[in-house]
Amino acid sequence: MAAAACVPVRVCHQEIVKFDLEIKAAVQDIRDCPGPLSALTELNAAVKEKFRHLRGRIQELEQMAKEQDKESEKQALLREVENHKKQMLSNQAAWRKANLACKIAIDNSQKDQLLQGRDSLRQRKTTKESLAESASNITESLMGISRMMSQQVQQSEETVQTLANSSRTILEANEEFKSMSGTIQLGRKLITKYNRRELTDKMLIFLALALFLATVLYILKKRLFPFL
């Protein structure tokens, strides 16, 4: 590939690293989030968007790798793509763990607040209403996180399938190279054999011609000079 094509590859690498670092920082923010649930929802929306950009850049890098002219450069880029995909899966697992830890912390905080609000009948009534609303919000949030995690699992399965397809493509390329090598060796042997046969044929023709000339000379000698 031309030298100018290296620029988008390098830019793509830089953006992948950038999004990876931003995702790690956002996951840490989720882990440290004190609440409320609306803040956690906003953080998760931001992380989801960063994952979308990261996945797009990885796919672009994979396409660039497939378009490389040199096989060595192509394989090197494909290995980097696989490493980026594995790192993305690791970030997704850390994201899920951070969400779970944050939800537990928020739930415990809300329970503590509810326990401290039981000083009077009015406060108990308010606490029950708040608890019902909080339980509804928690249930809705958990359902949202469950749907989000289901989508991430599906995307992870697609990523694993993509990795398997890449590995299969590499193996098929190696088999083709082996087959081509065997064909080239067979062709070299046939050419060598043909050259040897050609040399043998030339020697036989030369000997036959010499024998023919000797015979002609002998006949001429007997007819023109019988006394010799």
Side-chain angles (χ1 to χ4, degrees), residues 32-40 102 106:
D32 298 336
C33 178
L37 290 173
S38 58
L40 177 60
C102 183
I106 292 175

Side-chain angles (χ1 to χ4, degrees), residues 11-105:
V11 171
C12 194
H13 273 301
Q14 293 173 351
E15 292 186 352
I16 289 174
V17 173
K18 172 190 172 186
F19 286 124
D20 179 73
L21 294 176
E22 290 179 353
I23 288 172
K24 285 182 169 62
V27 169
Q28 184 62 42
D29 291 339
I30 291 175
R31 189 178 289 108
D32 298 336
C33 178
L37 290 173
S38 58
L40 177 60
T41 301
E42 291 179 1
L43 289 173
N44 278 319
V47 173
K48 186 176 181 180
E49 183 68 14
K50 293 181 186 300
F51 268 117
R52 186 179 68 81
H53 288 299
L54 176 61
R55 191 176 298 105
R57 293 298 178 273
I58 293 176
Q59 290 175 351
E60 290 178 6
L61 183 61
E62 184 175 15
Q63 183 61 34
M64 292 178 186
K66 294 179 180 179
E67 294 174 355
Q68 293 297 313
D69 295 331
K70 294 183 179 180
E71 188 64 22
S72 58
E73 295 179 358
K74 175 180 178 181
Q75 297 303 327
L77 284 178
L78 286 176
R79 286 193 294 271
E80 291 182 13
V81 168
E82 291 181 5
N83 290 334
H84 288 315
K85 288 180 179 179
K86 291 178 181 178
Q87 183 61 45
M88 184 175 66
L89 291 176
S90 176
N91 288 337
Q92 289 173 344
W95 181 27
R96 289 192 290 269
K97 291 180 180 178
N99 265 284
L100 181 60
C102 183
K103 289 296 299 180
I104 293 175

Side-chain angles (χ1 to χ4, degrees), residues 52-221:
R52 186 179 68 81
H53 288 299
L54 176 61
R55 191 176 298 105
R57 293 298 178 273
I58 293 176
Q59 290 175 351
E60 290 178 6
L61 183 61
E62 184 175 15
Q63 183 61 34
M64 292 178 186
K66 294 179 180 179
E67 294 174 355
Q68 293 297 313
D69 295 331
K70 294 183 179 180
E71 188 64 22
S72 58
E73 295 179 358
K74 175 180 178 181
Q75 297 303 327
L77 284 178
L78 286 176
R79 286 193 294 271
E80 291 182 13
V81 168
E82 291 181 5
N83 290 334
H84 288 315
K85 288 180 179 179
K86 291 178 181 178
Q87 183 61 45
M88 184 175 66
L89 291 176
S90 176
N91 288 337
Q92 289 173 344
W95 181 27
R96 289 192 290 269
K97 291 180 180 178
N99 265 284
L100 181 60
C102 183
K103 289 296 299 180
I104 293 175
I106 292 175
D107 291 346
N108 290 336
S109 176
Q110 290 176 342
K111 289 178 182 178
D112 292 339
Q113 292 176 1
L114 290 175
L115 291 174
Q116 294 174 359
R118 294 182 178 179
D119 296 338
S120 65
L121 179 61
R122 183 176 180 179
Q123 289 178 338
R124 287 195 299 269
K125 181 178 180 181
T126 303
T127 299
K128 290 180 180 179
E129 293 176 353
S130 177
L131 180 62
E133 182 180 357
S134 177
S136 176
N137 291 335
I138 291 174
T139 300
E140 183 178 355
S141 178
L142 287 174
M143 291 177 64
I145 292 176
S146 177
R147 288 192 296 268
M148 178 183 63
M149 292 178 68
S150 176
Q151 293 176 355
Q152 291 300 323
V153 169
Q154 183 178 359
Q155 292 172 354
S156 298
E157 291 177 352
E158 293 175 355
T159 301
V160 171
Q161 183 62 36
T162 301
L163 288 172
N165 292 336
S166 298
S167 299
R168 187 160 48 251
T169 300
I170 293 173
L171 290 176
E172 291 175 354
N174 288 335
E175 291 299 327
E176 290 181 1
F177 288 147
K178 291 179 180 178
S179 177
M180 290 175 63
S181 176
T183 303
I184 292 172
Q185 291 180 357
L186 179 60
R188 186 182 295 113
K189 291 180 179 179
L190 290 175
I191 291 172
T192 302
K193 184 178 180 180
Y194 174 77
N195 289 334
R196 292 176 180 174
R197 182 65 178 272
E198 183 179 10
L199 179 60
T200 302
D201 290 345
K202 288 180 178 179
M203 292 178 64
L204 290 175
I205 293 172
F206 177 76
L207 291 175
L209 181 60
L211 180 61
F212 173 75
L213 292 175
T215 303
V216 171
L217 290 175
Y218 177 77
I219 293 172
L220 290 174
K221 176 184 176 184

